[in-house]
């Protein structure tokens, strides 16, 4: 990170980049709404009143934490146990917050608070994919907002639908699977090298092995384990690179994100036209 | 659980969300994270997304189900293959859900 904060002269807002964010997030909306629906139904099945369910969906706005806490509420678990579980489930967001922080450090505190508060898994992943570097770049706030607004809306629409139709929807329709598919879809372009692939595989394995651990610690262990594995693979491959072995990149096999590829092609043609 | 307890729980859950999602972004540039750790943190989003989805694909009611009778797994793998070819998220979700529903109703 830079030693002294430079004044932010690059515009944060840019309507074109806002639309880019909307376009990027659009395909995930159905999956997010489906997941919201599942959580809405779960809240109703746990006998929360409509007011409580609405309160939970608006104030907590964290699907995995809500789903983890509902069975505990049903069992009448002590409130501090539920809090500890939700905290453990949400701990991955501390990491995401650390990743987002340098991009928005120059904003007023309340803007940072709201942007961070509603930024879920998919929003963070998609934002970081578009802006992998901390340095000033135009339209970061617009892009994030472009991802956030529809994400939040889709979730609320799904949740409210689930709350009001909860009893009518048979659970064996498995509608939540659409949410899983959406998340899988966003994960694939993030796997750009072997290190990430290994990390993802290890995270998957640990999340299955630790599925029944208390406080949903399996999720947290999976994230940390995956990160450690990816770092270890990076180390090994860097040492291999020093000895002249091929660089670690899956970009040709797994394919580059279409948007990035298109942008690169556009830049290449623009460069050719100037020659 | 009493109504009051439930509202208390909801309040604490909101605190859990606020705390985890806003701590670092609120600290802004006041916290310098060592570059090695920053490198490691970049892998976190992909790992977190995997940790959320893999159990849904591989487990049925908490039990590992790796065979073709796990419709989510079959549909999931097919959907991944579909996405790698078509690179279209909406179609991938549609394809996966249709396949999953088809398997569920007729397999």
């Amino acid at each position: 990170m830079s030693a002294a904060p430079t004044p932010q002269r690059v515009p944060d807002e840019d309507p074109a980049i806002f639309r880019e964010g909307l376009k990027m997030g659009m395909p995930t909306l159905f999956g997010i709404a489906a997941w919201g629906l599942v959580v809405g139904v779960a809240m109703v099945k746990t006998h929360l009143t409509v007011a409580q369910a609405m309160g939970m969906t608006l104030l907590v706005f964290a699907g995995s934490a809500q789903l983890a806490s509902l069975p505990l509420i049903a069992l009448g678990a002590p409130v501090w146990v539920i809090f500890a579980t939700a905290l453990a489930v949400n701990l991955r967001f501390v990491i995401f917050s650390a990743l987002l922080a340098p991009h928005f450090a120059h904003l007023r505190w309340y803007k940072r608070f709201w942007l961070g508060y509603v930024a879920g898994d998919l929003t963070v992943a998609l934002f970081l994919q578009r802006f992998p570097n901390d340095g000033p770049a135009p339209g970061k706030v617009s892009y994030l907002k472009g991802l956030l607004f529809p994400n939040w809306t889709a979730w609320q629409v799904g949740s409210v639908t689930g709350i009001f139709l909860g009893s009518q929807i048979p659970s064996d329709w498995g509608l939540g699977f659409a949410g899983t598919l959406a998340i899988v879809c966003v994960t694939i372009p993030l796997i750009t090298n072997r290190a990430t692939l290994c990390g993802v595989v290890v995270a998957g394995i640990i999340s299955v092995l630790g599925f029944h651990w208390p406080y949903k610690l399996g999720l947290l262990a999976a994230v940390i384990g995956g990160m450690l594995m990816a770092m270890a693979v990076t180390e090994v491959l860097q040492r291999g690179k020093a000895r002249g072995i091929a660089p670690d990149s899956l970009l040709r096999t797994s394919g580059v994100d279409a948007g990035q590829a298109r942008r690169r092609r556009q830049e290449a043609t623009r460069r050719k036209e100037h020659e | 659980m009493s109504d009051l307890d439930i509202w208390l729980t909801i309040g604490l859950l909101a605190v859990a969300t606020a705390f985890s999602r806003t701590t670092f972004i609120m600290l802004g540039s006041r916290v310098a994270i060592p570059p090695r750790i920053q490198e490691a943190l970049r892998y976190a989003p992909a790992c977190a997304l995997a940790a959320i989805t893999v159990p849904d694909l591989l487990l049925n009611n908490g039990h590992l189900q790796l065979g073709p009778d796990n419709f989510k797994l079959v549909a999931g793998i097919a959907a991944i293959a579909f996405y790698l070819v078509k690179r279209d998220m909406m179609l991938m979700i549609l394809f996966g859900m249709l396949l999953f529903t088809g398997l569920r109703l007729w397999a």
Side-chain angles (χ1 to χ4, degrees), chain A residues 9-22:
Chain A
R9 289 204 194 89
V10 183
D12 279 323
E13 312 262 354
D14 181 326
I17 299 187
F18 177 76
R19 283 192 296 272
E20 224 190 291
L22 283 181

Side-chain angles (χ1 to χ4, degrees), chain A residues 123-260:
Chain A
T123 304
V124 174
L126 289 172
F127 177 84
L128 291 174
Q129 196 187 5
R130 176 67 176 80
F131 294 105
N133 301 312
D134 295 347
K140 280 187 179 180
V141 174
S142 288
Y143 195 74
L144 190 62
K145 284 187 183 170
L147 292 173
L148 283 173
F149 288 153
N151 179 305
W152 187 90
T153 312
W155 174 265
Q156 302 302 343
V157 167
S159 295
V160 169
T161 311
I163 292 170
F164 286 105
L165 293 183
S167 30
Q168 259 86 306
I169 300 176
S171 53
D172 60 346
W173 278 12
L175 289 178
F177 190 53
T180 302
L181 289 175
I183 298 177
V184 167
C185 223
V186 171
T187 315
I188 294 174
L190 294 179
I191 305 176
T192 50
N193 56 29
R194 277 172 287 174
T196 316
L197 181 60
C198 293
V200 162
V201 169
V202 166
I205 293 174
I206 297 178
S207 68
V208 168
L209 292 176
F211 191 68
H212 295 289
W213 293 352
Y215 304 109
K216 285 282 181 189
L217 286 170
L219 180 58
L220 190 60
V223 176
I224 296 176
M227 280 165 51
L228 291 174
M229 180 66 179
M231 284 305 281
V233 171
T234 312
E235 284 267 58
V236 168
L237 289 174
Q238 272 176 355
R239 264 179 249 152
K241 203 157 92 177
R243 271 183 260 135
I245 304 173
D248 171 33
S249 176
L250 292 176
L251 287 178
R252 240 183 307 124
T253 49
S254 81
V256 184
D257 170 57
Q260 287 181 353

Side-chain angles (χ1 to χ4, degrees), chain B residues 43-96:
Chain B
Y43 294 114
C47 292
L49 296 180
I52 293 173
T53 50
V54 173
D56 195 28
L57 290 170
L58 297 184
L59 298 172
N60 193 353
N61 280 327
H63 300 292
L64 196 61
Q65 206 186 355
L66 293 174
D69 53 337
N70 180 347
F71 300 145
K72 281 188 181 176
L73 182 57
V74 173
I77 293 177
I80 292 174
F82 182 92
Y83 181 72
L84 290 174
V85 172
K86 287 290 193 171
R87 295 279 155 183
D88 185 320
M89 196 188 298
M90 275 313 302
L91 285 183
M92 181 260 206
I93 297 177
L94 201 59
F95 174 79

